[in-house]
Amino acid sequence: MTTPVHADHDPHSDAPLKTPLYDAHVALGARMVPFAGYYMPVQYEGILAEHAHCRAAAGLFDVSHMGQATLRGADHATVAGALETLVPADILGLEPGRQRYSQLLNGRGGILDDLMVHRAPGADGTLGLVVNAACKVADYAHIAARLPAGVSLEIHEERALLALQGPEAVNVLVSLGADVANWDFMQVGPASLAGIPVFLSRSGYTGEDGFEISVHADTVVDLWQILLGDPRVRPIGLGARDSLRLEGGLCLYGHDIDETTTPVEAGLLWSIQKRRREEGGFPGADIVRSQIAEGVARKRVGIKPDGRAPARDGTEIVDENGVAIGTVTSGGFGPTVGGPVAMGYVAVVHARPGTRVGLLVRGKALPAEIVSLPFVPARFHRAPK
Amino acid sequence: MTKYYTEEHEWIAVEGKVATLGITDHAQAQLGDVVFVEVPTVGRKVKKGEETAVVESVKAASEVYSPVTGTVVAANEPLASNPITVNEDAEGAGWFCRIEMSDPAELEVLMDEAAYKAFVEGQ
């Protein structure tokens, strides 16, 4: 049998770092693997069980490998203006207590990284950033080199990050004293969980309702144990994190998006608000705006194989005549779907849902169909306006 | 019946000229939840070292190689609809196929259970 090659194998594995929860993961019997420069838990009890638990109750993830930073300047207009030169989202219009998804773009409109940007309640001159672990060193250098005088980047090595995801996540946090039941999707703010100060955002990477919990590294182990003390909560590894986000149609940086894909090709146009589309002023704006106006040659799509065989990242996609039309960028087994699921890029003429395609797996063209994303409907909590 | 093991974590159980092929319990534990299995068609001729079956977990695909040359005389078709059997009973109900061997001398280089156990512990 060949040794399994993990889709998340990465070149940063020389001297992996440990998050503050490393010993806690080992104590739970996690299988630890190098990922994005850190030893991370790929699974505890098993990916299928963890995936199902997260969709049914509440799953706890250690995502402390991700980068947390703050942009600081004189007022909101100053920091937002500085960040808007690097990302295509409307940051000036970001209200206090809200978070937005965006991308750091290069001059060709390619995606250097995707990130979350938040403005804390009452903040006038700070913006919080959460970036991908594998990109964080490059992101920080990229951002710092482009900031105007008077705006600084502060990196929060002292902070850890947890995610609590699933339909019971909100109830768990409420039971620990956080008044978050009526929070809206993408709302952010400070809170206290069993007396531990945290900064919450109602967001995540699973397609479920849930929260990301930024907490000081000195208290993260205590908070982890308190959260796991709730019978609704179980720890979830990177394996289920990947299957959950794939079913949720969410992009994995380095696979579904990278420096060669633009937000328009990636189907992320919803994250570029109207004012930015009209005004431009971000890297690659000319290319992005011409793609919006004239269309793109290829698009990210969902792909559902007819049979049971998964099609992995890198699988060639062909049309009904066997002609190459694209490539799978994420693919595997969807536990909630109960079968294989994939995402990839195809030429736009083949991108319409219902289009029949073939996936070249082990020399055979497996029949599959282009489908709308996500595979599992999102259950984000939208508060009534 | 004599059971042999490979360094690639396959097992074969030999009775007369027929060898039953599967992956070891150690291998299934390393793979994690198995979600897809492809077994060979009956009648297919396989060579020693040839890819004979495919086993996929949630995260990854692995090829299963036959340690012997011969003809597939039976395939465990129910695995296709019940791949988790490989996790539950890798060295029993989770077998992939039976091969009628054409060169039983190929067995001589394979490990017995004690040698395989030592091999796994040394990895």
Side-chain angles (χ1 to χ4, degrees), chain B residues 36-68:
Chain B
F36 175 76
V37 175
E38 187 176 277
V39 294
T41 48
V42 171
R44 184 180 143 191
K45 299 211 183 312
V46 295
K47 287 202 180 77
K48 175 188 170 182
E50 187 177 314
E51 180 194 317
T52 301
V54 176
V55 56
E56 299 207 21
S57 68
V58 183
K59 289 296 283 173
S62 299
E63 283 84 39
V64 179
Y65 304 106
S66 173
V68 294

Side-chain angles (χ1 to χ4, degrees), chain A:
Chain A
M1 194 186 81
T2 41
T3 309
V5 177
H6 288 276
D8 52 20
H9 178 78
D10 77 289
H12 302 264
S13 53
D14 290 346
L17 304 170
K18 294 173 178 177
T19 78
L21 290 164
Y22 177 87
D23 290 340
H25 299 314
V26 171
L28 285 164
R31 183 178 301 169
M32 305 299 288
V33 298
F35 177 83
Y38 288 80
Y39 283 115
M40 297 300 291
V42 69
Q43 66 171 65
Y44 303 86
E45 59 179 310
I47 295 173
L48 294 181
E50 291 166 32
H51 180 112
H53 184 83
C54 185
R55 293 243 186 269
L60 181 61
F61 303 74
D62 176 18
V63 284
S64 300
H65 58 318
M66 298 187 77
Q68 300 180 70
T70 299
L71 277 181
R72 200 175 288 281
D75 53 27
H76 181 66
T78 304
V79 277
L83 187 56
E84 283 197 357
T85 67
L86 304 177
V87 306
D90 179 357
I91 306 298
L92 279 168
L94 185 61
E95 303 272 345
R98 300 293 305 174
Q99 176 174 259
R100 223 159 229 179
Y101 171 77
S102 194
Q103 308 86 30
L104 291 169
L105 298 184
N106 65 27
R108 297 174 305 284
I111 301 172
L112 297 168
D113 195 9
D114 60 343
L115 76 166
M116 287 291 189
V117 181
H118 71 251
R119 182 179 179 187
D124 186 26
T126 61
L127 288 170
L129 312 178
V130 180
V131 302
N132 281 302
C135 305
K136 65 184 177 184
V137 174
D139 289 352
Y140 296 152
H142 174 84
I143 294 168
R146 287 162 181 79
L147 291 178
V151 179
S152 62
L153 179 70
E154 186 180 317
I155 297 162
H156 297 300
E157 296 285 359
E158 81 287 1
R159 294 196 77 77
L161 191 65
L162 304 179
L164 189 69
Q165 300 280 298
E168 291 293 337
V170 64
N171 298 328
V172 171
L173 296 194
V174 167
S175 73
L176 292 174
D179 184 19
V180 293
N182 297 318
W183 276 29
D184 188 24
F185 177 58
M186 295 292 242
Q187 186 172 340
V188 301
S192 170
L193 296 174
I196 298 172
V198 296
F199 190 87
L200 300 176
S201 74
R202 195 165 195 168
S203 61
Y205 194 48
T206 60
E208 297 295 325
D209 182 24
F211 293 81
E212 297 211 333
I213 306 167
S214 175
V215 58
H216 198 283
D218 291 345
T219 50
V220 69
V221 175
D222 288 345
L223 181 59
W224 173 266
Q225 301 299 356
I226 290 165
L227 288 164
L228 283 182
D230 189 306
R232 295 169 287 194
V233 179
R234 284 195 214 160
I236 313 293
L238 289 179
R241 183 170 164 83
D242 192 51
S243 56
L244 288 158
R245 71 91 197 165
L246 175 55
E247 286 184 338
L250 300 168
C251 291
L252 174 60
Y253 189 79
H255 295 257
D256 309 300
I257 48 176
D258 61 26
E259 291 183 35
T260 70
T261 57
T262 71
V264 189
E265 293 170 322
L268 300 174
L269 195 50
W270 56 268
S271 68
I272 307 179
Q273 286 76 21
K274 185 161 167 273
R275 178 178 63 80
R276 302 306 312 277
R277 296 185 201 183
E278 289 169 2
E279 293 177 5
F282 52 87
D286 290 351
I287 291 170
V288 169
R289 292 168 76 193
S290 85
Q291 287 182 341
I292 294 170
E294 290 153 38
V296 288
R298 60 174 187 157
K299 256 180 83 176
R300 181 173 64 98
V301 293
I303 306 153
K304 181 82 190 79
D306 293 354
R308 294 183 63 103
R312 308 285 177 176
D313 181 13
T315 298
E316 192 175 350
I317 307 168
V318 296
D319 69 10
E320 289 197 291
N321 300 317
V323 178
I325 57 167
T327 311
V328 170
T329 51
S330 281
F333 183 80
T336 303
V337 170
V341 290
M343 297 197 288
Y345 284 82
V346 295
V348 280
V349 291
H350 303 283
R352 200 175 328 113
T355 305
R356 301 294 300 167
V357 297
L359 303 171
L360 293 185
V361 176
R362 292 180 284 272
K364 283 176 280 191
L366 303 180
E369 188 165 299
I370 303 299
V371 297
S372 306
L373 292 169
F375 293 97
V376 173
R379 296 201 282 182
F380 305 137
H381 183 263
R382 312 273 183 184
K385 297 274 175 210

